[in-house]
Amino acid sequence: MSDRTRRSDGTLDPVGRLRRTIATQPALRRASKDAVSRAATRGVPAGVFLAGLRATRTARTRLRRADVFDYSSPPDPFAIRWIDPTAVRRFSPRVHPPWWNRRRSFGDVRDGDWDGRPYAEAPRPDAYPKRGERALLYADRVVDSPLYVAIRRRLRGGVDWTDTAFVRGVVDRIESGTPVWQDCRTRADVLERCSRLDDLAETIREEGIKTQWELIAEGTVARAGILHALGNEIVVDVARDGEPLLVSGKHRFSIARALGLEAVPVAVCVRHEGWMRTVATDNNG
């Protein structure tokens, strides 16, 4: 994964150098999380603030508590990285839905077998309602989800939305009294969402996928706190072997994948502990 935290000449900015210094000194790292948080949030590049992003108290708290800083080679939990969409093969099975509580999870490190289990075994938080949408929106592989299949058929074959299994499934659930797909409640709601997806696909075809920072800078979306903006990116988790697992932004991601885009911007939410140990070992020789 590449990131935009370095200058054009490849050198680290002052905040990056500070982070590297603290990261390589465990005692200093443990004693200085608050200082790292304050320096990092104040040190967000000026262009980001001009774009309308705010280093809110919530963002400072999240950075101060970020697990990644407990490791010798901590990545920037707020960095945007560009990756090949074909590298993202699976949805994250950490929790269902994978976007649940994501803004509170940036910078977390989790151990266990969550990255290897089937998506059907992803635990559902008690606070999340049972909507019967897991089989419509998710699958073990992204390309097998009915949503992705519908988008691919629409963009590559010009198939009418109403002739896709996904839209038929959404309408069936709505007619049985279960709102799904971002709370669509009528067939008209579903068709309106399909129309918006057509418009989004045309924009992505012409312009690619822009980061939230770019959209804020051009006035397409409103000012936002850093965590709010990150949560609205395409978000991935990182498995123990470094594989990116899709968390949110599945509509934009599916469109980009179906259109054959070479790279999309992503924010990283949770990293597996095994990956963090691997990164530390690789960076320390």
Side-chain angles (χ1 to χ4, degrees):
M1 294 184 181
S2 62
D3 61 49
R4 292 181 169 182
T5 60
R6 294 175 178 269
R7 294 176 172 142
S8 59
D9 62 0
T11 61
L12 291 170
D13 61 19
V15 175
R17 291 197 297 273
L18 172 63
R19 283 178 174 159
R20 172 170 289 181
T21 299
I22 293 176
T24 55
Q25 301 182 40
L28 181 59
R29 182 173 71 250
R30 288 193 299 270
S32 303
K33 270 196 172 183
D34 284 345
V36 173
S37 171
R38 291 192 296 271
T41 50
R42 283 201 305 266
V44 173
V48 171
F49 280 105
L50 292 176
L53 284 179
R54 302 187 302 275
T56 61
R57 177 179 297 179
T58 302
R60 290 187 172 94
T61 299
R62 172 97 299 267
L63 186 56
R64 184 171 66 248
R65 295 176 179 174
D67 296 335
V68 294
F69 290 115
D70 291 329
Y71 294 80
S72 59
S73 300
D76 181 350
F78 293 167
I80 302 299
R81 295 165 170 81
W82 289 79
I83 64 175
D84 181 348
T86 62
V88 184
R89 298 183 294 273
R90 296 186 291 145
F91 287 102
S92 175
R94 176 171 49 84
V95 65
H96 170 75
W99 49 260
W100 186 259
N101 240 4
R102 64 189 181 278
R103 293 178 192 170
R104 297 182 182 180
S105 301
F106 284 107
D108 281 359
V109 177
R110 309 271 179 90
D111 61 3
D113 295 329
W114 59 267
D115 60 327
R117 61 188 168 208
Y119 189 83
E121 296 178 7
R124 180 183 62 85
D126 292 337
Y128 188 75
K130 293 182 179 180
R131 294 182 171 179
E133 64 185 15
R134 187 184 300 228
L136 277 176
L137 298 173
Y138 302 100
D140 281 332
R141 298 196 312 158
V142 174
V143 296
D144 291 334
S145 71
L147 173 64
Y148 174 79
V149 172
I151 289 174
R152 183 186 62 204
R153 293 187 66 202
R154 175 68 173 171
L155 298 184
R156 294 185 180 180
V159 175
D160 193 281
W161 285 109
T162 57
D163 290 332
T164 65
F166 171 72
V167 169
R168 290 196 298 268
V170 169
V171 172
D172 286 346
R173 281 164 174 76
I174 289 173
E175 291 177 346
S176 68
T178 303
V180 294
W181 204 24
Q182 297 186 359
D183 293 326
C184 287
R185 296 181 179 274
T186 67
R187 189 174 187 274
D189 290 342
V190 175
L191 296 180
E192 172 61 25
R193 285 225 63 201
C194 291
S195 178
R196 294 202 302 270
L197 277 182
D198 284 337
D199 293 340
L200 177 61
E202 187 60 28
T203 298
I204 292 175
R205 189 193 304 272
E206 294 177 355
E207 304 177 6
I209 294 182
K210 297 181 179 180
T211 68
Q212 292 297 299
W213 298 342
E214 291 170 326
L215 294 173
I216 291 170
E218 67 185 27
T220 304
V221 300
R223 282 176 58 93
I226 292 174
L227 290 180
H228 180 85
L230 283 178
N232 286 334
E233 299 285 358
I234 295 173
V235 179
V236 299
D237 288 341
V238 177
R240 70 190 68 200
D241 61 356
E243 178 188 3
L245 307 171
L246 187 60
V247 170
S248 61
K250 55 187 174 292
H251 297 87
R252 283 168 292 163
F253 176 83
S254 295
I255 291 171
R257 177 79 181 257
L259 291 177
L261 266 63
E262 295 182 355
V264 295
V266 301
V268 178
C269 191
V270 174
R271 295 165 173 84
H272 195 281
E273 184 183 32
W275 174 245
M276 292 302 300
R277 290 199 302 268
T278 298
V279 171
T281 300
D282 290 347
N283 287 353
N284 290 331

